[in-house]
C-alpha cells in the first residue's frame, strides 16, 4: 500500500532544502510562535484519493494524488512582488521533481498541474501570505495473494 | 429509409447533447466536491459553523463553454488554506464535517471527476 507518511516526509524534506528560503520553518504547530517581522513557511499535507490504474494477474498498479499546500508568510508592505523571490524558489524547487521512496514507490510532482502560487492576502501580525499548491502523484504496486 | 446524411445529422445532435450534458454535470460535480466533499477527489467539503460559507459557494455559467465556482466570503481563503487570517496560526476545525483544501483537492482530482461524470452518461447518451 501507499506509505503516505513517507510521501509527506519526502515532500517536507524537499521544501526544507529550498535554496534561500526563510530560515524559520513553522510546521503547522502551535509553538513556537511566529516571530514578528520574520518571514516564514508553513505547509499542510493533504492526500486525495487512491485508484487502481491497472490490474495484471495478482499485481495491482495504484495511483494516489494529493496536494502539499505551502504557505509563504512574507512581510506585509512588500506586496506580492516583494515576496516573489522566495515564492519562485519554492515553485522551482518542486517543478518537475521526482524521487523514489524507501519502499520503491515513485513520487513525482505532476506536470499537468504545475506548482503555482495562488492569490496572496494580508493577515494580521505583519504578514502577506502566498499559498502555493504543489500537486503530487505516487505510483505504487500491490501484489494480492 | 434514413439517408446517410440524416444519420450523420442525428449523430452530431447526439454528440452535441452529450457534450453539453457532460459539461453541466462536471461543473455541478466540481461545485459539489468543493462545497460538500467528494469520495472521488478526496475533498472534505466546507466546514460548517453558521453555514454561511457553505451556502455562499455558487456555480455560474459565463458562457456555453465556461463555468465558474466561486464564493464571496472574505475568509474563504483562510478556510481553504487552513490558516487563521487574523493570527496566522493554523486553524483548528471544530466542525464535524468539512475541512481545508477542498478547492486544491478538487483540482487534483479533477480528471477523475470528469471520468466519473462521463461514465455516468453511459454509452447510449444522457
Amino acid at each position: 500500500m501507499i506509505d503516505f507518511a513517507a510521501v509527506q516526509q519526502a515532500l517536507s524534506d524537499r521544501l526544507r532544502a529550498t535554496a534561500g528560503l526563510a530560515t524559520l520553518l513553522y510546521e503547522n504547530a502551535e509553538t513556537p510562535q511566529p516571530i514578528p517581522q520574520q518571514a516564514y513557511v508553513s505547509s499542510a499535507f493533504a492526500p486525495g484519493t487512491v485508484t487502481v490504474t491497472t490490474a495484471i494477474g495478482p499485481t495491482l498498479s495504484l495511483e494516489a494524488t494529493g496536494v502539499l499546500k505551502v504557505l509563504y508568510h512574507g512581510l506585509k508592505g512588500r506586496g506580492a512582488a516583494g515576496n516573489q523571490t522566495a515564492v519562485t524558489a519554492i515553485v522551482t524547487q518542486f517543478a518537475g521533481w521526482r524521487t523514489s521512496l524507501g519502499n520503491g514507490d515513485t513520487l513525482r510532482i505532476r506536470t499537468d498541474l504545475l506548482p503555482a502560487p495562488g492569490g496572496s492576502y494580508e493577515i494580521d501580525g505583519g504578514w502577506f501570505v502566498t499559498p502555493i499548491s504543489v500537486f503530487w502523484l505516487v505510483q505504487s504496486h500491490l501484489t494480492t495473494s | 429509409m434514413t439517408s446517410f446524411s440524416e444519420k450523420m445529422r442525428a449523430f452530431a445532435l447526439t454528440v452535441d447533447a452529450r457534450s453539453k450534458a457532460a459539461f453541466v454535470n462536471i461543473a455541478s460535480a466540481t461545485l459539489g466536491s468543493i462545497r460538500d466533499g467528494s469520495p472521488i477527489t478526496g475533498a472534505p467539503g466546507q466546514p460548517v459553523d453558521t453555514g454561511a460559507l457553505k451556502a455562499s459557494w455558487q456555480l455560474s455559467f459565463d458562457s456555453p463553454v465556461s463555468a465558474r465556482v466561486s464564493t464571496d466570503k472574505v475568509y474563504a481563503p483562510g478556510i481553504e488554506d487552513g490558516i487563521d487570517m487574523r493570527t496566522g496560526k493554523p486553524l483548528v476545525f471544530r466542525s464535524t464535517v468539512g475541512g481545508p483544501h477542498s478547492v486544491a483537492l478538487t483540482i487534483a482530482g479533477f480528471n477523475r471527476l470528469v471520468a466519473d461524470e462521463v461514465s455516468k452518461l453511459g454509452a447510449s447518451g444522457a
Side-chain angles (χ1 to χ4, degrees), chain A residues 26 28-30 33 40 44 46-51 63-67 69 71 73 110 112-113 121 123-124 129 131 133 135, chain B residues 38-43 77-78 80-90 92 100-101 103-105 107-112:
Chain A
Y26 177 65
N28 283 336
E30 291 294 330
Q33 295 291 329
Y40 68 98
T49 50
V50 181
T51 57
E63 189 176 275
T65 58
V67 177
K69 181 70 70 69
L71 299 180
H73 302 246
R110 292 173 61 170
D112 60 333
L113 293 170
Y121 50 87
I123 62 173
D124 291 347
V129 177
S133 294
F135 297 97
Chain B
S38 166
I40 296 170
T41 63
E80 168 66 14
D81 295 334
I83 181 177
D84 186 323
M85 294 177 73
R86 290 168 299 173
T87 65
K89 289 182 178 179
V92 177
H101 313 306
V103 174
L105 286 170
I107 293 170
F110 186 71
N111 291 349
R112 292 172 183 168

Side-chain angles (χ1 to χ4, degrees), chain A residues 113-136:
Chain A
L113 293 170
L114 298 174
S120 301
Y121 50 87
E122 293 186 1
I123 62 173
D124 291 347
W127 290 289
F128 193 85
V129 177
T130 303
I132 304 161
S133 294
V134 178
F135 297 97
W136 52 263

Side-chain angles (χ1 to χ4, degrees), chain B residues 17-84:
Chain B
R18 284 170 58 83
S19 297
K20 287 176 180 172
F23 176 65
V24 171
N25 292 352
I26 290 165
S28 297
T30 302
L31 171 64
S33 176
I34 292 171
R35 185 185 59 194
D36 307 317
S38 166
I40 296 170
T41 63
Q46 301 302 306
V48 175
D49 180 15
T50 65
L53 175 63
K54 189 169 184 174
S56 73
W57 281 96
Q58 302 287 328
L59 169 62
S60 58
F61 291 91
D62 299 338
S63 77
V65 294
S66 174
R68 181 190 304 269
V69 178
S70 61
T71 173
D72 60 357
K73 295 300 180 191
V74 294
Y75 56 90
I79 299 292
E80 168 66 14
D81 295 334
I83 181 177
D84 186 323

Side-chain angles (χ1 to χ4, degrees), chain B residues 100-124:
Chain B
H101 313 306
S102 281
V103 174
L105 286 170
T106 298
I107 293 170
F110 186 71
N111 291 349
R112 292 172 183 168
L113 210 60
V114 171
D116 181 66
E117 290 303 323
V118 170
S119 72
K120 287 177 183 173
L121 288 175
S124 59

